[in-house]
């Protein structure tokens, strides 16, 4: 069953910007799916249409088979949407944020209280539950947003740049929470990101987006393999190089360079120990080892034909900072 | 749950949200009470010395008390759109509108929330009139009826404000438009002088001003006890509230697109 089917989706803003240009993709139920692209790629526009917040110019969106154009209210019952800027209410307490939004999502009174207590505990917010959210840190606010999803239990959770503005530790924590939620509750997750590492570590599959179009779709592993192979470079004693043979299950020799041999392998980190062991057993001395594997950046370069701009655009950085500044006042 | 129950439950939840915020931080309520206090204590006291503004035997300061009350609720409501723009800016409105609650229930809830603030204004001003010895008819029926009028009135103008916010989209423009319309609305009404003192053209304009009906209803309830004009006031108020609430419900999605 597909959690999401997007077909020929297009959004043209009044100023004739084709923010999203006839994209199609499917998300399987239970998947963590990422839209990866630089700023201005059209990621936010895409998920706003999926969340029924903005209307597509053309194309269709089915959420668990429900047409978003015809039944936006039914779709909103299936999804949870976490926008890019922090969307919890700073003038309410953490507990109240959960309570109000569970009421607006019609979580039955019977289940509400137990779920709120569980979510607060699960996200490590129990001690601060009765404090005003404007005194929370940015990471805590994000955690509260995930807690809202835990209370409302959407089948499809949609997050826009979930870790933007977070410090590395909170970032890793957030990834863990999302993975856990996906595993334990079977929540399908759709997220956008301009962070390659995030896409790589968190998502089962990603769609690479650039200038309103999807350039490639696949698992991070598949995409990286499609760009090139992983290579290990071994610097050896020159006498050993010529007669060196490597069994197929370890890799394939694809070239020589000065006093080095280059071997193509499938999973460099895993294969290096075996190769070292193999060589040592045969009394071959290794001078140095280096390896090279394609990154999502290479994938992006190949498919989108432009370099991926790292970092945030000025306006986005300012927006995020402004929100956090206000919230933490 | 059937639709109407869901609708009402969502609207009340939004109003509850506002009430909880007021409970956490009531400074705004107090600062908003300053202006009506000035109107009553300075303007009212001074003009009280001029006889003949009001035809009957009620003092001028008593006469304008309902007008001042209406004005302060008007201020709360007409600037309510600014709150909505702010909530849009921080992503809160988008979040509200992506819940399964119908969009119109969110708008009605926000309008009710403005009503909640209006009621607090009324309580403050009633307290003030007691302190300075203005003699209002504060028996339960009249007070509750005034609260109903205030809630409708606040809903009406906060919806107008939300409609404007959907069109203007920034806080600065909302500040500007708010200031541009409150004073004309106030002066083209019977809030601080009776209709008979107005020139003919102004009296005609005031007939289309919802504020006139609100002030008339409050004056009947709080001062004269003559309820004969109230049915007309009620019809005018309910009608304009319905119009503006519907308009705001249709327009609000423009704010988040
Ligand atoms: N409301 C809007 N009106 C006009 N243009 C917009 C609007 N929102 C976004 N855009 C434009 O659409 C393009 C895609 O934006 P967006 O979806 O926000 O990209 P991303 O989320 O990938 O950074 C950008 O060129 C942006 O300037
Ligand atoms: Mg974006």
């Amino acid at each position: 069953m597909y959690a999401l089917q997007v077909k020929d989706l297009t959004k043209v803003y009044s100023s004739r910007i084709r923010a999203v240009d006839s994209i199609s993709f499917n998300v399987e139920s239970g998947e963590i799916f990422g839209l990866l692209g630089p700023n201005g790629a059209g990621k936010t526009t895409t998920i706003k249409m999926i969340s029924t917040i903005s209307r597509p110019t053309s194309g269709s969106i089915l959420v668990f088979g429900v047409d978003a154009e015809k039944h936006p209210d039914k779709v909103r019952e299936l999804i949870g949407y976490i926008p890019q800027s922090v969307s919890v209410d700073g003038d309410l307490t953490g507990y109240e944020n959960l309570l109000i939004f569970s009421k607006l999502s019609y979580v039955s009174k019977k289940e509400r209280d137990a779920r709120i207590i569980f979510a607060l505990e699960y996200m490590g917010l129990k001690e601060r539950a009765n404090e005003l959210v404007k005194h929370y840190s940015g990471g805590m606010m994000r955690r509260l947003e995930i807690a809202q999803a835990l209370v409302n239990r959407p089948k499809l959770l949609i997050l826009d740049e979930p870790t933007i503005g977070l410090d590395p530790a909170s970032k890793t924590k957030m990834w863990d929470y999302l993975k856990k939620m996906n595993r334990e509750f079977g929540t399908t997750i759709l997220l956008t990101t301009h962070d390659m590492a995030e896409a790589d570590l968190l998502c089962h599959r990603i769609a690479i987006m650039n200038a309103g179009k999807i350039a490639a779709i696949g698992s991070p592993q598949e995409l990286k393999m499609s760009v090139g192979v992983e290579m290990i470079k071994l610097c050896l004693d020159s006498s050993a190089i010529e007669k060196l043979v490597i069994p197929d299950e370890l890799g394939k020799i694809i070239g020589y360079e000065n006093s080095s041999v280059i071997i193509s392998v499938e999973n460099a980190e895993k294969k290096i120990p075996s190769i070292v062991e193999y060589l040592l057993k045969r009394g071959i001395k290794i001078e140095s080892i280096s390896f090279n594997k394609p990154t999502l950046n290479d994938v992006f370069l190949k498919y989108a034909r432009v370099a991926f701009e790292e970092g945030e655009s000025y306006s986005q950085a300012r927006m995020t900072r402004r929100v956090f500044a206000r919230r933490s006042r | 749950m059937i639709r109407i129950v869901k609708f009402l439950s969502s609207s009340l939840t939004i109003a509850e949200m506002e009430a909880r915020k007021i409970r956490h931080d009531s400074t705004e309520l107090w600062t908003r009470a300053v202006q009506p206090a000035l109107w009553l204590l300075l303007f009212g006291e001074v003009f009280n010395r001029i006889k003949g503004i009001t035809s009957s035997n009620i003092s001028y300061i008593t006469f304008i008390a309902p007008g001042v009350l209406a004005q302060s609720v008007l201020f709360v409501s007409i600037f309510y759109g600014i709150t909505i723009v702010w909530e849009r800016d921080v992503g809160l409105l988008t979040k509200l509108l992506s819940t399964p609650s119908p969009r119109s229930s969110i708008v009605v809830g926000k309008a009710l929330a403005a009503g909640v603030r209006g009621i607090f204004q009324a309580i403050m001003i009633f307290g003030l009139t007691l302190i300075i010895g203005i003699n209002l008819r504060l028996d339960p029926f009249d007070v509750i009826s005034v609260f109903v009028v205030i809630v409708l009135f606040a809903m009406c103008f906060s919806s107008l404000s939300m409609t404007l916010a959907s069109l203007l989209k920034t806080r600065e423009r909302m500040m500007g438009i708010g200031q541009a319309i409150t004073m004309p609305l106030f002066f083209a009404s019977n809030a601080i002088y009776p209709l008979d003192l107005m020139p003919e053209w102004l009296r005609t304009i005031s007939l289309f001003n919802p504020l006139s009906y609100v002030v008339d209803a409050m004056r009947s309830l709080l001062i004269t006890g003559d309820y004969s004009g109230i049915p007309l006031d009620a019809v005018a108020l309910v009608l304009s509230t319905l119009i503006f609430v519907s308009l705001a419900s249709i327009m609000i999605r423009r704010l988040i697109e």
Side-chain angles (χ1 to χ4, degrees), chain A residues 39 43-45 84 160-161 192 316:
Chain A
N39 290 309
K43 307 179 297 291
T44 298
T45 308
Q84 182 171 322
D160 199 356
E161 308 264 5
T192 75
Q316 197 166 17

Side-chain angles (χ1 to χ4, degrees), chain A residues 291-309:
Chain A
F291 75 97
N292 193 355
K293 50 192 299 170
T295 62
L296 280 178
N297 201 20
D298 301 322
V299 177
F300 193 82
L301 267 169
K302 172 171 174 188
Y303 290 103
R305 289 202 187 79
V306 286
F308 195 105
E309 236 183 35

Side-chain angles (χ1 to χ4, degrees), chain B residues 54-59:
Chain B
T54 55
S55 47
S56 49
N57 52 355
I58 41 176
S59 67

Side-chain angles (χ1 to χ4, degrees), chain A residues 159-283:
Chain A
L159 305 104
D160 199 356
E161 308 264 5
T163 59
I164 202 169
L166 295 189
D167 60 82
S170 314
K171 217 176 217 185
T172 324
K173 229 175 181 176
M174 186 57 62
W175 293 340
D176 287 342
Y177 282 127
L178 290 175
K179 279 185 186 158
K180 226 166 138 186
M181 195 166 166
N182 169 259
R183 222 175 26 232
E184 288 176 19
F185 300 99
T187 312
T188 309
I189 296 178
L190 170 69
L191 59 93
T192 75
T193 180
H194 67 276
D195 179 347
M196 307 248 187
E198 177 162 290
D200 208 350
L201 290 170
L202 185 57
C203 301
H204 299 136
R205 284 197 309 140
I206 55 183
I208 292 196
M209 218 178 159
N210 187 46
K213 291 201 169 70
I214 288 181
I217 299 186
S219 72
Q221 196 59 30
E222 274 167 16
L223 288 172
K224 283 185 283 189
M225 268 163 56
S226 74
V227 178
V229 290
E230 298 180 26
M231 289 177 290
I232 297 177
K233 193 165 148 189
L234 294 166
C235 189
L236 305 173
D237 193 20
S238 53
S239 61
I241 287 191
E242 286 147 40
K243 32 186 209 294
L244 180 73
V245 273
I246 296 274
D248 282 351
E249 67 265 23
L250 288 184
K252 221 169 81 191
I253 297 176
I254 55 167
Y256 300 93
E257 194 179 275
N258 302 331
S259 60
S260 304
V261 56
I262 298 166
I263 303 165
S264 89
V265 293
E266 239 158 46
N267 192 337
E269 292 100 323
K270 289 245 169 75
K271 287 288 163 65
I272 286 176
S274 323
I275 291 177
V276 170
E277 197 188 305
Y278 175 85
L279 293 176
L280 289 180
K281 247 185 213 159
R282 277 153 193 79

